[in-house]
Amino acid sequence: MRYIIIGAGAVGGAIGGRLAEAGHEVALVARGAHYEALRTHGLRLMTSEGTRTHRLPTVDGPAALGELRPDDVLVLAVKTQDSEAALEAWGPAPVAGGGTAAERLPLVCAQNGVESPRIALRRFRRVYGVCVWLPATLVEPGAVSAAGAPLTGILHLGRHPHGTDETTRRIAADLEKAHFEAPVVPDVARWQYAKLLGNLANAIEAVSGVLTSEEGLALFARVRAEGEAVLTAADIAYTGEEEQKRVRDNKIRFEPFDGSERGGGSSWQSLDRGTGNIEADYLNGEIVLLGRLHGVPTPLNELLQRLANTFARERRAAGSLPVAELVRLADEAVAFVQEERAPRP
């Protein structure tokens, strides 16, 4: 199978680079300066084992790749806010022998959050979800750091909305040969919702920096508890922390090639690169949406969603809001909701 990585940034670049190292045919899809760097100089993939340059076919859309093949696998690795545009471009792409990508090819959503597989299912017949545990950073145009060791990442994989099939198992087998663990599960959404709870910290990191202080960690615990209350009210199953811990069990250590400390996650990177948008609507915003649907107040996640979007829109510096100030705003948001919901005399 040929893997077409739609969005060859941090996660997509790490998956594509590792698959290429394992001998699989890979094509990269990117935009802007990253596309130019990949096309001109190749993908520099930095791992704890060293730096390798992969000169892979690189395009900015389906037209540049030509007619797709029946054995192609599309891996969607853009941020969720960019999913609709990517799917609109790739869905009608013709496949050799007749039909379109949406009709004939598997689409694998290797992204944070839970919304992209739902968006994809409107267009694509065969959609696969992935729970992505993969420490990766787009260091600069053309260069991706994947600092996990001994495994590069753990990618739970299954059909969306549920089930498995032979394609799932073939993709998982390819990933297993490429420094990933890829468990095939019939309930991938349960793992994705668990990951969503962890990703609620992304907005905290984005606006106030990497979570290292007791204040920041305590705030995240409150934000996560809000998310858990919402998922319980919505009767949505998610993998518990003990089960997640057993699965990971020191399989991924952070071992950057240059000895640097861990940087911020995907949302922090969006602010740091000044992209002008961020994924908060599909992380904290997913909890806000479910809270509104099921009558559960979500003041903390509403605050983080709003702040993250403001920082992105105004291109404020990542991590520039002091944690103490963020906690003060969080306390005010909770107090406001409590007062609003208090019985009136």
Side-chain angles (χ1 to χ4, degrees):
M1 297 186 290
R2 178 176 64 170
Y3 289 89
I4 300 173
I5 311 296
I6 305 171
V11 168
I15 292 174
R18 281 304 206 184
L19 283 169
E21 288 176 5
H24 297 288
E25 192 174 355
V26 175
L28 305 178
V29 184
R31 300 178 300 180
H34 189 47
Y35 161 72
E36 295 294 342
L38 291 172
R39 191 178 63 158
T40 304
H41 305 293
L43 169 66
R44 284 196 298 126
L45 181 62
M46 294 167 276
T47 70
S48 59
E49 303 153 18
T51 300
R52 299 177 181 85
T53 298
H54 302 286
R55 296 192 174 276
L56 304 170
T58 302
V59 299
D60 58 0
L65 196 59
E67 193 174 51
L68 300 178
R69 303 183 338 208
D71 66 342
D72 283 338
V73 175
L74 305 182
V75 179
L76 187 66
V78 298
K79 297 287 197 329
T80 302
Q81 62 267 28
D82 297 320
S83 288
E84 184 64 45
L87 294 169
E88 183 178 1
W90 285 87
V95 179
T100 65
E103 294 168 326
R104 296 187 58 191
L105 300 184
L107 178 83
V108 179
C109 297
Q111 301 160 284
N112 284 335
V114 296
E115 182 63 19
S116 269
R118 295 196 296 236
I119 297 172
L121 209 56
R122 295 177 186 273
R123 299 178 185 271
F124 281 75
R125 288 179 181 171
R126 297 162 62 197
V127 176
Y128 299 80
V130 180
C131 176
V132 180
W133 279 326
L134 200 177
T137 304
L138 180 60
V139 178
E140 60 187 36
V144 169
S145 169
L151 291 174
T152 299
I154 300 176
L155 307 173
H156 283 75
L157 178 70
R159 285 291 296 261
H160 179 80
H162 48 73
T164 65
D165 59 13
E166 182 59 27
T167 299
T168 320
R169 290 184 282 275
R170 289 179 64 195
I171 294 170
D174 288 348
L175 291 169
E176 294 272 1
K177 296 173 184 175
H179 291 271
F180 295 100
E181 186 171 291
V184 174
V185 292
D187 55 351
V188 69
R190 191 169 69 98
W191 294 89
Q192 290 174 305
Y193 275 103
K195 179 70 171 4
L196 172 67
L197 290 173
N199 283 142
L200 299 180
N202 286 26
I204 302 176
E205 279 195 337
V207 301
S208 293
V210 178
L211 280 174
T212 54
S213 70
E214 289 187 11
E215 256 187 321
L217 291 169
L219 175 60
F220 171 53
R222 295 165 63 192
V223 172
R224 182 188 172 98
E226 199 174 84
E228 290 175 342
V230 164
L231 295 187
T232 298
D235 197 26
I236 293 174
Y238 59 93
T239 311
E241 290 189 78
E242 282 302 314
E243 185 176 356
Q244 294 179 62
K245 184 178 178 181
R246 285 198 303 272
V247 168
R248 285 179 281 187
D249 194 25
N250 296 319
K251 293 175 182 175
I252 304 177
R253 300 185 304 274
F254 183 72
E255 293 185 3
F257 75 103
D258 60 356
S260 61
E261 295 295 319
R262 174 186 174 271
S266 55
S267 296
W268 185 94
Q269 292 174 45
S270 292
L271 291 185
D272 189 54
R273 296 199 304 272
T275 62
N277 59 53
I278 200 166
E279 60 193 334
D281 286 344
Y282 301 99
L283 300 178
N284 306 91
E286 181 70 26
I287 297 302
V288 171
L289 170 62
L290 289 171
R292 290 169 179 166
L293 289 173
H294 296 278
V296 179
T298 57
L300 297 176
N301 281 282
E302 286 184 39
L303 171 68
L304 290 171
Q305 179 187 9
R306 183 171 66 252
L307 283 175
N309 280 317
T310 299
F311 269 57
R313 185 174 58 253
E314 298 179 358
R315 288 178 166 77
R316 297 189 194 176
S320 58
L321 181 69
V323 174
E325 175 64 10
L326 178 58
V327 172
R328 185 188 68 78
L329 292 172
D331 290 341
E332 285 184 355
V334 171
F336 177 80
V337 169
Q338 289 173 341
E339 182 179 348
E340 193 176 51
R341 293 169 63 89
R344 302 296 180 188

